[in-house]
Amino acid sequence: TISCWFKRPTASIGYNKFLATGANNALTVKVTDDGSSGGKFNWSGWGASVATAYLPVFDDKWHHFAVTINADTMEVIIWIDGAAEGTATLTSVPSWSNGIWFPALDSMMKNFAEVTLWDVALDATQMSELYDGGCAKDPTTHSLSSNLEHWYRFNPKLSPADTTTTIYDRNASLDATVELNGHPRNAYFIEGPYPNRVVPNKHYQELQGYGSTITLPMKTKEIYLQGV
């Protein structure tokens, strides 16, 4: 399983790579837009080809992407925001020996956060747990945390701090490198997905503060307080 949070503006991007791996890009996940906020994900590699429908994910908001490969059934599934959106069956055994480019090298501007790699194909229940209703869940608290291999947070406020050249592995020691080459490019940090729970018609936000007042950054109807 490979997963991440991504954010893409509504501007048209055409057809671009989203993820690639293996020699000569043996596997490629590409995205194409519908000229509005819709994006379609296309998988091509290892004898399989699958495309999702156009999904409303290019709206300048954070969304969750994942792809799973079941080593027993050779089934590959593309997941968007916790839901299975496309599936196919591989005809050859995947190989990751040449590394993973996430995102792939191209001209598409991308915002990424919380990239995770697992040694198991998460099922629907486990993927829903990882998506966590729209939260950026700490994967070390997942029910399959023992199967978590690597975790890249893209966060310069941690220790050691991620930089625009090195993204540290927070679960192991396989650090990632940010490559800026080819066309004029740059890399910088933005505000990432919030670890707040969002469910239909309700929003839950953890607030911490000291003193006599806490300012709520929202229109509030109900407040639940828990002492610690």
Side-chain angles (χ1 to χ4, degrees):
T1 301
I2 304 174
S3 78
C4 75
W5 288 87
F6 70 94
K7 183 170 74 167
R8 174 64 202 170
T10 57
S12 177
I13 61 169
Y15 190 59
N16 281 272
K17 293 178 182 177
F18 187 80
L19 177 153
T21 185
N24 300 316
N25 293 343
L27 174 150
T28 303
V29 176
K30 295 184 178 182
V31 293
T32 183
D33 70 273
D34 61 0
S36 181
S37 63
K40 178 169 68 174
F41 293 76
N42 304 266
W43 163 292
S44 176
W46 297 316
S49 179
V50 62
T52 70
Y54 281 104
L55 305 168
V57 294
F58 292 166
D59 55 2
D60 205 27
K61 298 179 182 178
W62 287 101
H63 294 275
H64 191 254
F65 166 89
V67 59
T68 57
I69 299 173
N70 187 307
D72 296 324
T73 65
M74 300 292 281
E75 180 184 44
V76 56
I77 302 176
I78 295 177
W79 307 78
I80 304 296
D81 288 343
E85 297 291 352
T87 182
T89 301
L90 305 181
T91 60
S92 59
V93 178
S95 171
W96 309 94
S97 58
N98 290 83
I100 299 174
W101 292 266
F102 200 4
L105 301 177
D106 58 44
S107 59
M108 174 185 173
M109 186 189 76
K110 308 173 184 73
N111 299 317
F112 281 87
E114 307 293 344
V115 175
T116 61
L117 286 80
W118 309 68
D119 65 5
V120 66
L122 302 185
D123 62 23
T125 300
Q126 295 153 356
M127 189 62 68
S128 177
E129 179 186 355
L130 181 62
Y131 175 58
D132 199 23
C135 300
K137 181 181 178 68
D138 179 347
T140 63
T141 65
H142 193 278
S143 60
L144 289 185
S145 60
S146 61
N147 296 99
L148 177 66
E149 291 284 323
H150 307 286
W151 179 22
Y152 304 97
R153 302 207 61 189
F154 293 78
N155 190 334
K157 299 179 182 180
L158 302 176
S159 181
D162 290 333
T163 70
T164 56
T165 58
T166 301
I167 306 299
Y168 289 96
D169 188 345
R170 304 296 171 174
N171 193 65
S173 58
L174 188 63
D175 300 331
T177 300
V178 178
E179 296 185 9
L180 300 175
N181 53 27
H183 303 288
R185 303 168 187 264
N186 58 30
Y188 53 89
F189 292 101
I190 66 171
E191 193 72 32
Y194 293 103
N196 303 332
R197 181 173 301 279
V198 180
V199 295
N201 301 318
K202 292 185 182 296
H203 302 267
Y204 297 88
Q205 181 166 358
E206 180 180 351
L207 300 171
Q208 296 181 355
Y210 299 91
S212 59
T213 62
I214 298 177
T215 300
L216 299 178
M218 65 190 77
K219 183 178 180 180
T220 305
K221 182 178 180 180
E222 297 176 337
I223 300 178
Y224 298 88
L225 301 177
Q226 179 178 359
V228 295

